[in-house]
Amino acid sequence: MVEHQTTNAQQPSQAAGSEFAIDLKRVSKAFGPVQANKDIDLAVKRNSIHGIVGENGAGKSTLMSILYGFYTADSGEIWVNGQLVKIKDSSHALELGIGMVHQHFMLVENFTVLENIILGAEGEYLLASSMAKAREELTRLATDYGLNVDPDALIEDLSVGQEQRVEILKALYRGADVLILDEPTGVLTPTEADQLFRILEQLRDEGKTIILITHKLREIMAVTDTVSVMRQGEMVGTLATKDTSPEQLAELMVGRRVLLRVDKTPAEPKDVVLDVKGLSVTDDIGVPRVKDVSFNVRAGEIVGIAGVAGNGQSDLLRAISGMEAPLLGEIRVNGELVRFHGDDSASDARKMGVAHVPEDRLKMGLVTAFEEWENSILGYHESEKYGTGMFLSPKMAIAEAEKRIEMFDIRPRNPRLKTANFSGGNQQKIVLAREMDRDLDVLIVGQPTRGVDIGAIEFIHKHIIELRDKGIAVLLVSVELDEIRALSDRVLVMFDGEIVTELSPDASEREFGLSMAGVDPKEGA
Amino acid sequence: MSPTDIILLLDSSVRFAVPLMLAALAGLYSERSGIVDIGLEGKMLGGAFAAAATAAVTGSVWLGLAAAMGVSVVMSMIHALASINFRGNQIISGVALNFLAAGFTVFLGHAWFRRGGTTPNLRPDERFSNIELPFAAEIGQVPIVGEIYQQLLSGHSIIVYFAFLMVPVTAFVLYRTRFGLRLRAVGENPKALDTAGISVALLRYRALVVTGLLCGVAGAFLSTAQGANFSENMTSGRGFIALAALIFAKWRPWQAMWTCLLFGVLSASQIRLQGVEFPMIGEVPVQAIQALPYILTVVLLAGFIGRANPPKAIGQPYIKER
């Protein structure tokens, strides 16, 4: 049972004799044959924001899980505030003042904010008094750190940014002095991310120590004081942020120079391939999500759809890919009307040459329990390439899968491996390879690089551009504005289900910011 | 139907509803913790046998109740072991327990009492007797209000009062205590609890102990309060109806009580309807009328429930991972 303690910001620094809040020495951890962490040294100064960067699978999360007591290290020492400790479990870590804000929020959706915050740190058996106490404490934390959330709101009604604040409040309520944030901006819009950074800075100024795990260099540069770089389970360097550059960090991360900008020639758009007219889509409870949207995509161009997540982009994708019938409007591919008739519409859309890389590869793109080759043909399994008549030929399918593994540099190079055992970036490549390596006219891509490491991002971007140059019409939806701007030839901005404006990818940050907030920059403000 | 008839009908509805209520509340603890409990039926049956057998041998109904609760808790712990530690399929484990109870009770009944699977009839002092509330007979003279007091409120066994008491108690535990908060959380998102440093397994074990205890009481009610012995398959699907009531009530205690009472009314009227001539239709076969509560279960579950939002993590074994 974790006793709730008041979060007096200065408390631990007075008590301790070390300038480091956290000091890891030669920490190692292996999972079977995989060495996730190798002799890691990491010293985190008190009252600082310390970034840890590395590609997916570099061992960042494992290291933090050791610090948070989710895993125990095989060897090495952990010093917290100058004291050698053995962290047994997460409640022990909490007692030591280490709090974690997980990448996937650990919140109970149908609970109120208050209930979530006291969960596990309730104190007395009856809730009434602990709730009252928590409410008071919450008001104090809100004023001290600028973390405003309605304590009685249900989590399911909150935005992702607000949910994250609840996670931070949860840790603070438990008396955390060291906050670990695991990929905190993966789900946030740029504005929300900036707000988060302000909060983190305020927390640091009030005496907290922040460890920020990310693979986004922009964030490291924007908010950290110190940055440590991990690569393949090893710590390859710790630098003062002001003395480094994104290019240097990227090089350390992947061990070679990477292009942060995408090289591409100007588009040479030809005929209209995808033509959307007056499209309206409602969700399953009848709320309009897409409102009278019209646009087209020509062969040989990439049209990006930018916008804050949840403004209808996902619903638009679902309609165009044939997964959901629109309420009104029509979609034409090469002049031919896409007809919606129940569950076959998605495969019909594919037959018309529409390839779809869904936004959420785990929910919609892959069956993770399948072997790689099975996912590699999923949706196209009736093709003659994979068998004859009604019979599937694993031999033929595996041969094709191997070819694609080669082409898309999917690792490990084993089509018989269970898909769940591939890293996020490689899973994404499996989906992309399946959708791209065939005859297609339109490619619809949702969040192509979500949760994917830098090396793979570069690779995926290059492939999308190549496809465009081959004369394919590409519709790209991403919440990463940088990605939209780097790849697209034209950008449509969606807000509240409508296309607010069309911008050139070279338009200013301000113009994008305004239009993503629903204001047409051409009209004023 | 006169007011008295209605009161009598409601009175027998309560008797029908009580075992359902206890089982539904039992299921509530289990399912709220994220463990599907299709084995309510089996635990009740095991409890009913244990209560009747123990009461018959020792002559003490209270020892019978203790035995019922003990047996039911042991069965619940087997379910816990399979679902929590071995991460087995919870439906299969529950079905297995149902079969186990159906077979074992008859087998042991044969072996111990040699009466074709039933236990010896219990004397009145070996059963839960009905409690007359103060002045029941006197107040009963007053029309309607008095009759309600005498017939409906008074004259039930202690288990009936216990069952109705357990509804507010469960609601209080669920919504106003630390255990309740964690119980609701663990069924929705066990990770949230785990990362808060609370043991998911221990919490689910505690929930399943409560489930076992309540199922035991429900079983004891059938064989030592409502009935006077154990007979083969005497639960006759009540565990499943309770589960249906729980789902229909969307896993909430008060709603579960009302749903069970509704099933109780149907079961009670079913008996009254047997042999009654319906206008236009004539006499309906007994079997069709007996099927009414079960048909209603299907209709309610299929048609009227709307969107049931079960605890999100229900049925999924919790595996600690990143």
Side-chain angles (χ1 to χ4, degrees):
Chain A
M1 174 73 255
V2 185
E3 272 305 303
H4 167 246
Q5 54 191 82
T6 46
T7 48
N8 184 334
Q10 305 305 328
Q11 211 175 36
S13 34
Q14 288 161 355
S18 165
E19 62 165 320
F20 297 118
I22 302 288
D23 196 358
L24 303 180
K25 292 182 177 160
R26 298 179 306 284
V27 168
S28 295
K29 173 80 185 172
F31 296 101
V34 183
Q35 190 77 36
N37 286 155
K38 246 176 290 178
D39 292 326
I40 302 277
D41 288 322
L42 174 71
V44 179
K45 273 205 197 101
R46 190 169 296 114
N47 293 10
S48 72
I49 301 182
H50 193 119
I52 298 180
V53 280
E55 295 192 290
N56 291 351
K60 300 169 300 211
S61 297
T62 307
L63 188 65
M64 289 305 114
S65 298
I66 290 170
L67 189 52
Y68 185 62
F70 238 54
Y71 297 138
T72 19
D74 298 338
S75 61
E77 294 173 359
I78 302 173
W79 296 74
V80 177
N81 289 322
Q83 281 176 315
L84 181 63
V85 292
K86 276 240 172 297
I87 300 175
K88 294 187 293 276
D89 52 28
S90 20
S91 48
H92 186 204
L94 280 169
E95 279 170 50
L96 293 167
I98 302 170
M100 175 100 171
V101 176
H102 295 267
Q103 183 177 8
H104 306 287
F105 303 144
M106 301 296 171
L107 297 173
V108 182
E109 290 267 303
N110 58 0
F111 273 26
T112 65
V113 169
L114 205 58
E115 284 176 319
N116 267 291
I117 284 172
I118 66 166
L119 183 65
E122 301 91 344
E124 295 135 77
Y125 190 72
L126 297 183
L127 291 182
S129 64
S130 34
M131 291 272 246
K133 225 187 285 171
R135 191 181 291 274
E136 236 171 75
E137 178 71 9
L138 211 57
T139 325
R140 201 182 65 75
L141 290 172
T143 41
D144 282 5
Y145 303 113
L147 286 159
N148 282 311
V149 193
D150 173 11
D152 298 311
L154 285 178
I155 296 297
E156 56 199 7
D157 296 335
L158 296 184
S159 72
V160 188
Q162 287 172 312
E163 284 183 28
Q164 192 167 51
R165 285 188 207 172
V166 178
E167 278 284 355
I168 295 174
L169 283 167
K170 238 169 88 177
L172 293 175
Y173 181 75
R174 286 160 169 75
D177 285 300
V178 179
L179 271 179
I180 306 168
L181 290 97
D182 189 2
E183 301 284 357
T185 58
V187 287
L188 299 185
T189 62
T191 329
E192 282 176 324
D194 285 337
Q195 282 169 355
L196 174 70
F197 295 156
R198 296 296 84 74
I199 291 168
L200 294 185
E201 281 164 2
Q202 200 164 350
L203 285 167
R204 173 193 58 197
D205 297 343
E206 298 283 333
K208 304 283 178 192
T209 307
I210 314 278
I211 301 177
L212 178 71
I213 307 173
T214 181
H215 59 246
K216 292 183 189 162
L217 297 174
R218 185 178 83 88
E219 291 167 9
I220 291 291
M221 299 312 293
V223 73
T224 63
D225 302 310
T226 318
V227 51
S228 296
V229 186
M230 288 185 76
R231 182 170 75 222
Q232 290 171 1
E234 291 182 76
M235 192 59 83
V236 290
T238 296
L239 306 149
T241 309
K242 60 178 187 326
D243 300 334
T244 184
S245 65
E247 286 74 21
Q248 189 192 3
L249 290 176
E251 210 181 314
L252 279 171
M253 273 167 73
V254 293
R256 65 189 160 86
R257 282 207 163 276
V258 288
L259 302 163
L260 278 182
R261 295 292 308 173
V262 182
D263 277 335
K264 60 169 194 188
T265 51
E268 290 164 18
K270 303 199 175 64
D271 301 337
V272 171
V273 179
L274 177 69
D275 193 11
V276 175
K277 274 206 189 84
L279 194 72
S280 293
V281 184
T282 57
D283 65 10
D284 13 327
I285 49 170
V287 178
R289 291 290 175 187
V290 176
K291 300 165 188 166
D292 192 22
V293 161
S294 302
F295 65 91
N296 59 48
V297 185
R298 289 166 183 277
E301 71 167 349
I302 299 177
V303 172
I305 297 200
V308 176
N311 274 289
Q313 302 98 311
S314 309
D315 309 85
L316 181 67
L317 278 189
R318 277 213 304 278
I320 298 177
S321 59
M323 291 173 63
E324 191 175 311
L327 186 70
L328 288 169
E330 52 179 49
I331 300 162
R332 282 173 194 278
V333 177
N334 288 325
E336 203 182 325
L337 196 63
V338 180
R339 287 180 202 288
F340 288 90
H341 47 269
D343 296 340
D344 289 343
S345 305
S347 64
D348 282 1
R350 290 185 159 182
K351 279 178 199 138
M352 295 174 78
V354 180
H356 177 211
V357 177
E359 287 182 299
D360 188 334
R361 59 179 168 266
L362 295 181
K363 273 191 198 146
M364 296 189 283
L366 294 165
V367 181
T368 49
F370 275 13
E371 292 175 7
E372 193 275 342
W373 71 269
E374 292 174 292
N375 273 308
S376 179
I377 64 169
L378 210 62
Y380 304 109
H381 47 274
E382 287 175 359
S383 155
E384 282 164 19
K385 282 200 283 191
Y386 311 127
T388 37
M390 59 180 287
F391 297 102
L392 194 64
S393 156
K395 214 190 228 167
M396 291 161 80
I398 289 173
E400 286 288 321
E402 274 169 344
K403 201 185 83 195
R404 278 195 285 269
I405 284 176
E406 214 45 58
M407 232 161 73
F408 280 80
D409 190 27
I410 297 165
R411 290 174 203 200
R413 297 184 186 282
N414 179 3
R416 301 301 308 269
L417 191 67
K418 222 173 93 173
T419 312
N421 297 334
F422 285 86
S423 74
N426 283 302
Q427 289 178 344
Q428 185 70 352
K429 284 186 189 174
I430 296 172
V431 180
L432 282 158
R434 176 180 76 206
E435 301 298 332
M436 287 181 173
D437 178 35
R438 58 190 208 91
D439 279 339
L440 73 168
D441 297 316
V442 185
L443 178 69
I444 302 170
V445 207
Q447 321 296 353
T449 57
R450 182 184 270 175
V452 167
D453 59 65
I454 286 201
I457 289 178
E458 189 194 2
F459 186 91
I460 289 168
H461 284 178
K462 240 169 51 195
H463 262 79
I464 293 176
I465 303 269
E466 261 176 43
L467 218 58
R468 177 202 74 170
D469 293 343
K470 273 194 230 157
I472 283 152
V474 180
L475 180 67
L476 168 75
V477 172
S478 174
V479 289
E480 296 288 341
L481 188 55
D482 290 343
E483 177 167 75
I484 292 271
R485 295 175 67 185
L487 286 179
S488 310
D489 301 307
R490 291 193 286 140
V491 183
L492 306 173
V493 183
M494 269 189 98
F495 176 78
D496 195 23
E498 292 176 62
I499 289 179
V500 191
T501 182
E502 179 177 328
L503 292 172
S504 141
D506 306 321
S508 68
E509 289 267 350
R510 188 180 154 276
E511 278 181 285
F512 272 105
L514 279 174
S515 47
M516 279 164 79
V519 184
D520 188 341
K522 287 165 201 153
E523 282 172 10
Chain B
M1 259 170 121
S2 71
T4 311
D5 284 343
I6 293 174
I7 290 166
L8 286 174
L9 180 77
L10 290 177
D11 180 52
S12 63
S13 305
V14 166
R15 289 167 208 271
F16 278 111
V18 160
L20 296 180
M21 269 166 60
L22 287 166
L25 291 176
L28 188 143
Y29 284 92
S30 169
E31 302 229 324
R32 279 283 189 154
S33 84
I35 308 279
V36 179
D37 200 350
I38 203 152
L40 295 173
E41 175 85 0
K43 287 196 275 284
M44 267 166 96
L45 198 61
F49 177 77
T54 309
V57 172
T58 65
S60 163
V61 68
W62 290 102
L63 280 180
L65 177 66
M69 289 160 85
V71 164
S72 175
V73 167
V74 167
M75 292 178 72
S76 197
M77 289 303 97
I78 296 173
H79 188 49
L81 198 66
S83 318
I84 301 168
N85 298 67
F86 299 136
R87 296 169 194 156
N89 184 304
Q90 296 164 12
I91 301 279
I92 293 178
S93 162
V95 170
L97 283 173
N98 287 341
F99 279 122
L100 194 74
F104 245 90
T105 48
V106 175
F107 169 71
L108 291 178
H110 271 293
W112 292 347
F113 303 106
R114 313 215 168 270
R115 286 161 158 271
T118 62
T119 60
N121 276 321
L122 300 172
R123 294 191 314 272
D125 64 317
E126 292 169 341
R127 297 176 51 205
F128 282 103
S129 52
N130 292 341
I131 298 169
E132 290 299 322
L133 295 182
F135 311 112
E138 291 84 346
I139 299 175
Q141 303 307 314
V142 184
I144 302 184
V145 179
E147 285 174 82
I148 288 177
Y149 183 75
Q150 189 193 10
Q151 299 294 345
L152 195 55
L153 300 182
S154 173
H156 294 287
S157 73
I158 187 149
I159 294 180
V160 173
Y161 299 109
F162 171 78
F164 279 94
L165 181 67
M166 279 317 286
V167 178
V169 166
T170 299
F172 185 82
V173 166
L174 202 55
Y175 298 110
R176 307 242 185 251
T177 68
R178 189 171 70 199
F179 174 68
L181 184 77
R182 292 177 181 181
L183 182 72
R184 286 184 287 139
V186 77
E188 287 289 330
N189 186 357
K191 265 192 174 173
L193 219 72
D194 196 5
T195 52
I198 310 294
S199 164
V200 171
L202 187 65
L203 194 60
R204 288 185 165 166
Y205 263 100
R206 286 165 66 192
L208 288 190
V209 168
V210 180
T211 301
L213 291 173
L214 289 175
C215 272
V217 179
F221 177 81
L222 290 178
S223 65
T224 60
Q226 201 175 43
N229 69 353
F230 173 85
S231 59
E232 191 177 338
N233 191 29
M234 77 181 304
T235 46
S236 61
R238 283 186 184 84
F240 297 109
I241 294 190
L243 195 63
L246 180 65
I247 295 170
F248 187 66
K250 298 184 180 170
W251 295 267
R252 292 170 298 184
W254 285 103
Q255 285 81 349
M257 179 191 83
W258 291 117
T259 315
C260 291
L261 284 172
L262 177 66
F263 282 121
V265 170
L266 277 164
S267 304
S269 15
Q270 168 251 118
I271 287 176
R272 291 185 63 94
L273 287 176
Q274 289 176 17
V276 174
E277 293 270 343
F278 287 93
M280 312 287 289
I281 308 170
E283 194 178 324
V284 176
V286 176
Q287 289 82 355
I289 291 177
Q290 279 172 338
L292 264 182
Y294 302 91
I295 292 169
L296 182 89
T297 309
V298 173
V299 170
L300 280 184
L301 280 181
F304 291 94
I305 185 164
R307 185 179 276 195
N309 286 321
K312 275 198 204 68
I314 199 163
Q316 302 158 5
Y318 180 63
I319 302 164
K320 187 171 174 155
E321 59 179 356
R322 254 186 301 155

